[in-house]
Amino acid sequence: MTTHEPIGRRHFLRLGAMASGTVLGAGFLSACGGGGGGASSELVYAGYGGSYQDGIKSAMFDPFTQSTGIGVKYTADANDVTKLISLAAAGRSQDDIADAQGPALAQLRASGVLEKLDRTVVTHEDVVNPSLITEYSIPYYQFSHNIFWNASMVSGQMNSWADVWDVRKFPGKRGFQRLPWFTLEIALLADGVAMDRLYPLDVDRAFRSLDRIKPNAVFLDNNSLTNAVSTGELVTADLNLSRVKTIIKSGVKLEYTWNQAMVDVEQLVVLRGGASRDAAMKAVQYSLEPETQLRIIRTLGYTPTSKAALAQIPAADAKDLPGTAETVGTSFYLNASWWADNYKTVSTKFQGWLTS
């Protein structure tokens, strides 16, 4: 296996040039109009805060405001799905639009707090994977969690999640997120379940597998995991590949593989009870525009879902991105529908297991 390196800056700059040189589709411009009025003159976006929010602001919402005249305010409420649900259910949403990954989308859908997308504004014909579209959401980028390891501390290559579980062959502390999604999938893959046989998840089998790795693992939040990997406290962990590439750029000798990579999608959803529904629908459509998605990959490194945008990515770069024809055969997508049906019971069981 060859060590993968982050996509070169020259490729990101080239993608950025493509993005800035692409003309917005006439259908989008007519849908957005000149910026709207009343409640549609401004919207509130719930993101994750920090450098991610800075990237989304520069790649998407600043150009959105420039194109439509619709101002955007920012919160980090996407980190607190319970808050989003409780306020929307009470008809008091502070946010109009929110970022949502698979499990969060599952919770929001199951709670009935999302607006159906207005198909007169939001189109989806260009989306590469129609199976990921729901009546409430359309994915605007893809990301992955890949097996990786610190090559300065580990002798050999980890090519499967079973290798991650093999502490004799690959000694050292492992790190996982304090969340059940992805973690249960990882545990089942480590126990020999094939990627195409994961769902419905065998929850009891997953916890038995987790029991075996628990003495050699820590369960932390994303930022703590990132820091622990960066300082060499962990030889491997469950992290977004974009974070892994950032750590590599800082000089840490990490290697990774696309075998058994887990892929999820980011979606923008419109919350019930928000003050600016129409503006929010326009923002969802703007997130799907090829030039928007090319700016996102240039800024944050996430894979477009637009076929037109994907067609502009050099083949050499596509080999190191989730959700492309080059990597889809060795990866799988998180099943948000399964999590929508099982989130509450599995999450309760997982939190109890963490403290046992």
Side-chain angles (χ1 to χ4, degrees), residues 60-273:
M60 179 176 152
F61 284 110
D62 284 349
F64 171 73
T65 296
Q66 185 177 6
S67 295
T68 67
I70 299 172
V72 181
K73 291 184 177 180
Y74 300 84
T75 75
D77 288 348
N79 290 311
D80 190 347
V81 178
T82 301
K83 177 181 178 180
L84 291 177
I85 291 172
S86 62
L87 289 176
R92 297 185 293 108
S93 289
Q94 298 175 358
D95 305 287
D96 300 297
I97 190 170
D99 256 299
Q101 299 173 11
L105 175 64
Q107 295 174 67
L108 292 164
R109 285 174 56 190
S111 300
V113 297
L114 298 180
E115 291 274 4
K116 290 184 179 181
L117 295 180
D118 183 348
R119 295 303 188 186
T120 66
V121 177
V122 182
T123 61
H124 61 272
E125 290 77 9
D126 187 43
V127 175
V128 68
N129 191 338
S131 67
L132 300 174
I133 297 170
T134 77
E135 59 186 337
Y136 303 98
S137 62
I138 299 176
Y140 72 108
Y141 69 74
Q142 307 175 73
F143 61 94
S144 64
H145 290 227
N146 297 53
I147 298 165
F148 73 91
W149 60 97
N150 189 316
S152 298
M153 303 169 66
V154 170
S155 177
Q157 301 173 347
M158 293 182 177
N159 292 314
S160 68
W161 289 104
D163 285 342
V164 174
W165 256 240
D166 191 342
V167 295
R168 290 186 178 181
K169 184 177 180 181
F170 303 103
K173 207 72 171 177
R174 279 78 165 129
F176 302 97
Q177 297 188 47
R178 295 181 62 85
L179 300 168
W181 48 87
F182 286 143
T183 306
L184 265 64
E185 283 89 345
I186 288 171
L188 288 170
L189 291 167
D191 201 45
V193 178
M195 290 190 299
D196 60 353
R197 298 293 181 90
L198 275 174
Y199 299 98
L201 298 183
D202 186 333
V203 175
D204 291 338
R205 181 175 177 178
F207 278 101
R208 289 194 297 269
S209 179
L210 287 170
D211 284 339
R212 294 196 298 274
I213 198 64
K214 193 175 186 180
N216 298 282
V218 293
F219 294 80
L220 306 168
D221 62 81
N222 250 327
N223 289 332
S224 297
L225 284 175
T226 302
N227 292 335
V229 170
S230 299
T231 58
E233 298 172 66
L234 300 173
V235 299
T236 184
D238 171 27
L239 281 176
N240 185 312
L241 182 59
S242 181
R243 287 182 179 243
V244 173
K245 290 181 176 181
T246 299
I247 296 171
I248 291 173
K249 289 179 181 178
S250 74
V252 181
K253 192 178 179 182
L254 302 182
E255 298 181 5
Y256 59 93
T257 178
W258 280 99
N259 190 43
Q260 294 186 330
M262 303 173 290
V263 181
D264 198 5
V265 294
E266 195 73 23
Q267 323 224 20
L268 284 176
V269 293
V270 180
L271 296 162
R272 279 175 40 199

